[in-house]
Amino acid sequence: MSLISENIKYLRKKLGLTQEQFAERIDIKRSLVGAYEEGRADPRISNLIRMANVFGTSVDILINKDVSRLSEEELNVSKFKRGKEVLAITVDEHQRENIELVPQKAAAGYLNGYADPEYIQELPKFKLPILPGNATYRAFEISGDSMLPILPGTIIIGEYIDDVRDIKNGKTYILVTKSEGIVYKRVFNYINDNGKLFLVSDNRQYAPFQIGIEDVLEVWASKAYISVQFPDADDSKEVSTEQLASIVLDLQKEIIRLKESKK
């Protein structure tokens, strides 16, 4: 049997589930579970995601590691990672991933349904051939003018980032968060320093703010945008990354000063 076959069988038994019970959990036939465990069939990506979710691990671990040799800590996904075990996707008839669109009106529902394959299945879908095919993408319609010259109603296409620590300072991301909802911001990574991310708007009228790593549900790195509106000439002046970094540093200093004044 293959490594993934052994892993599925081992983890299913570890959970104390019969093949029938496990099949019900991931919404497939019992015979297919048997085929997976005996190495007669390879799971499609959508089923791998469901299985990893049930096992409480990641697809990467399920495919590439001998789980019988892993400790509980190694088997469980790091608190800093939002791996494919919680990333629901859709595929076309050729098993190629779609780009799902989250319109403004669906933003609130997405916070509850982002990990639900049935919810994701209902979202509008499209393809964009110019994007590399070795990544997972999702599109979000943004609201507000905090990221001018990117206008309200623009659709930002993001590439899925499974480890929040991979965020690069000064780059723009779509963050799906518990407290702020879905936000499109320029992000500065201070996870190693204090477990925080600093979010900065390109429109200087909006103050930067910080969120804790535990608040982040998903991270999508901006790769392209689609808009039917064109920015005015006066809105085309962008703030440099160096200026934004200076804003963040000033904000950090102010936070440190306030903390020290309370001692």
Side-chain angles (χ1 to χ4, degrees):
M1 288 190 290
S2 66
L3 179 61
I4 188 171
S5 301
E6 294 280 5
N7 285 344
I8 293 170
K9 186 175 183 180
Y10 174 85
L11 291 172
R12 174 182 63 78
K13 290 185 174 181
K14 186 177 180 180
L15 290 177
L17 298 174
T18 65
Q19 287 188 346
E20 184 70 35
Q21 290 169 332
F22 183 58
E24 290 179 0
R25 293 278 289 273
I26 60 175
D27 195 26
I28 62 174
K29 294 181 179 179
R30 188 213 60 77
S31 59
L32 194 52
V33 173
Y36 291 161
E37 293 187 354
E38 294 167 16
R40 293 183 284 108
D42 293 323
R44 62 177 61 181
I45 184 64
S46 56
N47 288 340
L48 281 171
I49 293 169
R50 292 190 184 100
M51 286 189 286
N53 194 29
V54 170
F55 294 142
T57 189
S58 69
V59 169
D60 179 64
I61 289 174
L62 195 58
I63 294 174
N64 297 311
K65 304 287 186 180
D66 181 352
V67 297
S68 66
R69 297 178 179 272
L70 298 180
S71 66
E72 288 296 326
E73 184 177 355
E74 291 171 324
L75 183 60
N76 294 331
V77 179
S78 163
K79 68 178 181 178
F80 289 111
K81 297 191 74 175
R82 299 296 183 265
K84 286 185 179 292
E85 76 286 349
V86 295
L87 180 63
I89 63 168
T90 63
V91 295
D92 63 16
E93 64 273 16
H94 303 293
Q95 297 301 302
R96 293 177 298 204
E97 292 187 23
N98 298 310
I99 300 175
E100 299 85 15
L101 170 63
V102 182
Q104 288 182 20
K105 62 182 180 181
Y110 187 81
L111 296 179
N112 295 320
Y114 71 95
D116 181 356
E118 293 184 3
Y119 174 84
I120 299 301
Q121 183 67 40
E122 297 302 316
L123 292 173
K125 308 167 190 64
F126 65 97
K127 299 285 187 184
L128 198 60
I130 63 172
L131 294 174
N134 59 348
T136 295
Y137 302 97
R138 191 150 295 162
F140 299 84
E141 183 183 10
I142 64 171
S143 61
D145 61 355
S146 67
M147 292 298 284
L148 291 176
I150 302 296
L151 297 170
T154 297
I155 294 171
I156 304 295
I157 300 170
E159 176 184 338
Y160 184 67
I161 304 297
D162 70 347
D163 194 330
V164 185
R165 291 169 295 186
D166 289 337
I167 286 177
K168 303 292 189 299
N169 284 339
K171 301 297 184 181
T172 56
Y173 295 85
I174 290 283
L175 298 181
V176 182
T177 71
K178 299 174 187 176
S179 63
E180 300 292 334
I182 300 174
V183 294
Y184 172 56
K185 297 294 179 184
R186 202 168 294 278
V187 184
F188 292 81
N189 185 347
Y190 292 99
I191 292 173
N192 291 333
D193 297 330
N194 57 14
K196 303 288 186 182
L197 297 173
F198 279 78
L199 279 54
V200 181
S201 300
D202 285 353
N203 184 344
R204 295 289 295 276
Q205 294 182 6
Y206 291 82
F209 61 96
Q210 62 178 345
I211 60 173
I213 191 66
E214 69 283 352
D215 198 20
V216 180
L217 300 172
E218 287 183 347
V219 179
W220 301 85
S222 304
K223 293 299 178 182
Y225 71 89
I226 301 171
S227 179
V228 296
Q229 302 179 73
F230 291 88
D232 295 331
D234 290 342
D235 294 333
S236 62
K237 298 177 182 178
E238 297 184 4
V239 179
S240 70
T241 300
E242 290 76 14
Q243 289 175 302
L244 291 170
S246 177
I247 294 170
V248 170
L249 289 174
D250 289 343
L251 180 61
Q252 274 199 309
K253 290 176 182 177
E254 179 64 16
I255 291 171
I256 293 172
R257 186 188 67 78
L258 291 172
K259 286 182 178 179
E260 290 178 347
S261 65
K262 293 179 180 179
K263 294 180 178 178

